[in-house]
């Protein structure tokens, strides 16, 4: 199947590797043609690393399925699935989708990587909006398999189902957002944690470094292979109902203090930046991102090796 990636930045180039490893032909396009060249160079470097980690079988074969396009019309010609990844603002997306609708095959699914904008906002003006859906990944999707699928009331259920099947064929782990909500599921959970983290740091309860330790050396160890509901189900002898019977009063008491707390101050950004730049200087951020991807690669390989051992 031929697919198109519109926007060839960090997310776009990662999606290209996802679709190509699923056996699909991929065409990359960007308003800035230099981004396509950068994306292809990044992909050529990354795929062998993925093969070495055991995440794909043949880097050269996967890479051969990915090409660039000079124009939007060329990129969407004959495609069955389109993934948009441009700037996170509604108006530019709306303008791009109007062009895509005019140029792409009438039966191609149009999908957006937006992290928070509801599909009813970005697709509403399209005449063929029933074929439009949000497919929001975690960054970077070629190493983090979760993808949230969210349609609007006008989205065809068949389009959501076909997108889910397509994502699964590419090695992703799709979830369906049953009703539209701003931020979808992943970011609403992430922002709730970040909001409390910012307030704790701004309130002088903990440093940024120790806050991060709490997650990466604590909660994330469990959350890397089981979700929070699975976690509490195993944290009481008789399961989740037993857990809630034991701890509901404690949880509600803490949550009441969170909901009553003042919002975190704007100054927290400066505080966090000072702490983080002392650990990772600004000119080393790209190196730190590459380190993150190597760690994610190793974790993905480990999780893949353990999947068949999960008790059910």
């Amino acid at each position: 199947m031929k697919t198109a990636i519109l926007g060839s930045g960090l997310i776009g180039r990662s999606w290209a590797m996802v679709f190509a490893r699923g056996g699909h032909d991929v065409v990359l396009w960007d308003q800035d043609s230099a981004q396509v060249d950068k994306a292809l160079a990044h992909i050529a470097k990354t795929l062998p690393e993925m093969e070495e980690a055991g995440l794909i079988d043949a880097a050269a074969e996967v890479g051969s399925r990915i090409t660039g396009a000079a124009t939007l019309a060329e990129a969407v010609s004959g495609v069955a699935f389109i993934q948009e990844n441009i700037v996170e603002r509604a108006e530019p997306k709306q303008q791009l989708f109007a062009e895509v609708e005019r140029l792409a095959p009438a039966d191609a699914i149009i999908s957006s990587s937006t992290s928070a904008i509801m599909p009813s906002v970005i697709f509403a003006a399209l005449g063929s909006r029933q074929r439009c859906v949000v497919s929001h990944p975690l960054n970077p999707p070629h190493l983090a398999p979760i993808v949230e699928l969210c349609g609007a009331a006008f989205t065809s259920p068949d389009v959501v189902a076909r997108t889910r099947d397509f994502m699964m064929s590419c090695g992703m782990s799709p979830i369906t957002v049953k009703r539209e909500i701003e931020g979808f599921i992943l970011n609403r959970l992430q922002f709730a944690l970040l909001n409390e983290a910012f307030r704790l740091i701004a309130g002088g309860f903990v440093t940024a470094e120790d806050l991060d330790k709490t997650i990466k050396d604590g909660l994330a160890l469990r959350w890397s292979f089981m979700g929070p509901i699975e976690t509490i189900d195993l944290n009481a002898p008789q399961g989740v109902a037993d857990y809630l019977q034991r701890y509901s009063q404690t949880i509600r008491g803490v949550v009441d203090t969170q909901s009553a707390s003042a919002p975190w101050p704007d100054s927290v950004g400066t505080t966090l930046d000072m702490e983080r730049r002392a650990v990772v200087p600004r000119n080393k951020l790209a190196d730190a991102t590459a380190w993150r991807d190597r760690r994610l690669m190793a974790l993905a390989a480990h999780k893949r090796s353990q999947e068949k051992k999960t008790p059910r």
Side-chain angles (χ1 to χ4, degrees):
M1 184 168 82
K2 184 180 178 183
T3 64
I5 303 291
L6 309 183
S8 301
L10 296 177
I11 299 295
R13 62 188 64 172
S14 186
W15 271 129
M17 290 184 279
V18 170
F19 295 172
R21 79 179 177 203
H24 306 290
D25 293 328
V26 184
V27 181
L28 280 163
W29 172 85
D30 198 285
Q31 290 176 319
D32 178 3
S33 60
Q35 282 291 345
V36 175
D37 293 334
K38 289 179 182 177
L40 292 172
H42 174 82
I43 290 166
K45 175 178 178 294
T46 303
L47 288 176
E49 294 174 352
M50 293 178 67
E51 182 177 7
E52 185 177 353
L55 298 179
I56 56 175
D57 293 329
E61 182 180 341
V62 173
S64 70
R65 301 187 186 112
I66 304 172
T67 57
T71 66
L72 179 61
E74 180 188 348
V76 301
S77 175
V79 301
F81 192 90
I82 299 163
Q83 186 73 29
E84 169 273 323
N85 319 273
I86 67 169
V87 63
E88 184 67 358
R89 297 202 310 273
E91 186 176 355
K93 291 181 186 293
Q94 292 162 344
Q95 292 171 350
L96 177 62
F97 291 136
E99 284 295 292
V100 168
E101 184 177 50
R102 183 175 65 85
L103 296 168
D107 59 350
I109 292 175
I110 301 174
S111 175
S112 174
S113 293
T114 178
S115 59
I117 307 172
M118 292 189 291
S120 60
V121 173
I122 54 177
F123 297 126
L126 299 183
S128 59
R129 58 182 185 256
Q130 72 278 356
R131 60 167 165 159
C132 299
V133 65
V134 165
S135 302
H136 170 236
L138 190 66
N139 183 24
H142 70 285
L143 297 177
I146 191 69
V147 55
E148 304 180 282
L149 308 181
C150 182
F154 50 68
T155 303
S156 166
D158 179 64
V159 165
V160 177
R162 286 164 55 201
T163 301
R164 190 178 182 108
D165 288 344
F166 169 69
M167 290 295 176
M168 290 179 67
S169 78
C170 295
M172 300 300 284
S173 178
I175 70 159
T176 300
V177 182
K178 296 167 68 175
R179 290 192 295 134
E180 268 193 308
I181 185 169
E182 189 174 8
F184 315 121
I185 307 303
L186 189 152
N187 273 331
R188 290 185 75 87
L189 292 172
Q190 179 174 226
F191 293 166
L193 192 150
L194 281 174
N195 187 46
E196 182 63 10
F198 293 162
R199 290 193 299 200
L200 289 169
I201 293 166
F205 295 101
V206 68
T207 64
E209 181 182 7
D210 282 354
L211 188 288
D212 280 347
K213 277 185 183 180
T214 305
I215 302 301
K216 68 183 181 181
D217 294 336
L219 291 173
L221 290 178
R222 294 185 300 205
W223 287 355
S224 69
F225 62 92
M226 59 196 301
I229 307 305
E230 288 178 293
T231 296
I232 64 172
D233 191 40
L234 301 182
N235 276 359
Q238 301 302 313
V240 64
D242 185 18
Y243 179 93
L244 290 174
Q245 185 175 15
R246 292 167 182 259
Y247 302 114
S248 282
Q249 186 173 353
T250 299
I251 295 169
R252 292 182 188 278
V254 172
V255 168
D256 284 344
T257 68
Q258 292 173 319
S259 60
S261 296
W264 43 269
D266 291 341
S267 60
V268 75
T270 301
T271 301
L272 293 174
D273 193 60
M274 288 177 61
E275 285 202 40
R276 288 300 303 158
R277 296 296 67 79
V279 178
V280 182
R282 210 170 303 281
N283 64 351
K284 296 293 185 181
L285 282 170
D287 293 339
T289 301
W291 165 84
R292 176 204 67 186
D293 287 356
R294 290 193 298 272
R295 294 294 299 270
L296 279 172
M297 230 176 262
L299 179 59
H302 171 71
K303 290 184 72 171
R304 175 177 288 191
S305 72
Q306 297 298 310
E307 281 173 358
K308 295 182 179 179
K309 302 177 183 179
T310 303
R312 293 294 181 191

